[in-house]
């Protein structure tokens, strides 16, 4: 099978990815073998490939937004031919205090698809059945792929932002995850203001129902109850905190962020403003979001690339040339 490997982590200009012909993986006990139909291209894949995240598995196959067809299963929950999803969270210990209290995303022994184990930039992949997801109806394969990380992480970031009912939400950066989180907030009656440097992203935000869309560091037209920072740019933390109303919360959605400049207590945190991080997701987050996506038809903007062009997709993502979510399309996708 075809598979892309992160052979030399570093900037995309140095061609860190290499395609090779690998044997089709063999599923172990409790695992499903999937024929990959589509794999989303996430900014976390870029962080793995460029070395922003430390190497966990040398030569790993990236990709954790996988829509696949089950071609091998010994699990009663999944039959041959089922269409299932693979997400970022791949395994936890299930015994530590975090797992036992429902915070499995904080498990010290958690492992991740496309970082600790090979992911979906390939023709076939395997996934533990306990961490595979049934997909909502009404979405094509290409539309379903971004739901599996961009959608799930955006949903958790929205929860962490503690947006009050009918509240005012600011979104900084407007890529794959942000354009889905915005729709969840809008469906719940929020007023959404978007700040992003991309003109095309601003146009998409307005088309989806945002009340305003300005440049990344511009102040929103009104104080915010909550904000989410999707762009991995630490300098944006300051204007985002300044935009919060009293008691507001800023959540940072990414796994990687450039350094945050010094905060001024009176300006950025006083009056009970909160700054919160987001770490991965739980399977409960995934189940809740996928149910929401099944009940509320989300507009999923995708830019397709053939699997053979995965390196180009990541290069375009690094240069902010992707509208919505990039997806790698296999020959059997719909």
């Amino acid at each position: 099978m075809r598979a892309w490997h992160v052979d030399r982590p570093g900037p995309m200009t140095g061609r860190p990815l290499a395609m090779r012909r690998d044997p089709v993986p063999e599923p172990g006990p409790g695992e499903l073998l999937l024929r990959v139909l589509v794999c989303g291209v996430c900014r976390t894949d870029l962080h793995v490939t460029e070395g922003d995240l430390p190497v966990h598995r040398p030569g790993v196959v990236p990709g954790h937004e996988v829509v696949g067809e089950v071609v091998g299963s010994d699990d009663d929950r999944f039959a041959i031919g089922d269409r299932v999803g693979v997400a970022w969270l791949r395994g936890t210990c299930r015994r530590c205090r975090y797992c036992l209290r429902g915070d499995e995303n904080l498990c010290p022994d958690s492992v991740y698809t496309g970082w600790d184990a090979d992911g979906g930039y390939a023709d076939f992949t395997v996934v533990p059945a306990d961490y595979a997801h049934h997909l909502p109806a009404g979405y094509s394969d290409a539309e379903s792929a971004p739901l599996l990380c961009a959608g799930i992480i955006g949903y958790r970031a929205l929860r962490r932002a503690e947006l009050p009912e009918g509240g005012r939400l600011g979104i900084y950066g407007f890529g794959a995850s942000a354009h889905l989180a915005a729709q969840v907030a809008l469906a719940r009656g929020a007023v959404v203001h978007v700040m992003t440097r991309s003109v095309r992203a601003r146009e998409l935000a307005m088309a989806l129902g945002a009340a305003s869309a300005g440049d990344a560091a511009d102040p929103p037209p009104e104080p915010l109850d909550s904000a989410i920072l999707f762009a991995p740019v630490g300098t944006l933390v300051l204007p985002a905190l300044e935009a919060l109303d009293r008691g507001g919360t800023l959540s940072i959605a990414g796994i990687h962020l450039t350094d945050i400049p010094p905060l001024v207590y009176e300006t950025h945190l006083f009056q009970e403003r909160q700054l919160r991080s987001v770490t991965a997701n739980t399977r409960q987050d995934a189940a809740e979001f996928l149910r929401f996506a099944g009940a509320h038809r989300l507009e999923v903007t995708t830019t397709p690339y053939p699997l053979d062009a995965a390196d180009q997709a990541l290069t375009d993502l690094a240069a902010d040339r992707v509208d919505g979510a990039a997806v790698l399309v296999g020959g059997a996708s719909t």
Side-chain angles (χ1 to χ4, degrees), residues 42 44 63-66 85-94 98-99 102-118 126-133 147-150 152-153 156 255 279-287:
C42 178
T44 301
H64 56 274
E65 297 179 333
V66 183
V86 181
W88 176 237
L89 184 67
R90 186 183 186 87
T92 57
C93 75
R94 310 189 201 191
Y98 306 104
C99 288
D103 294 327
E104 66 180 1
N105 60 308
L106 301 179
C107 175
D109 295 321
S110 56
V111 292
Y112 301 95
T113 308
W115 192 20
D116 296 285
D118 289 338
V126 296
V127 60
D130 286 346
Y131 293 83
H133 301 281
L147 302 179
L148 292 160
C149 181
I152 294 169
I153 293 297
R156 183 167 184 86
I255 191 174
T279 300
N281 64 274
T282 66
R283 284 173 288 175
Q284 182 64 31
D285 293 326

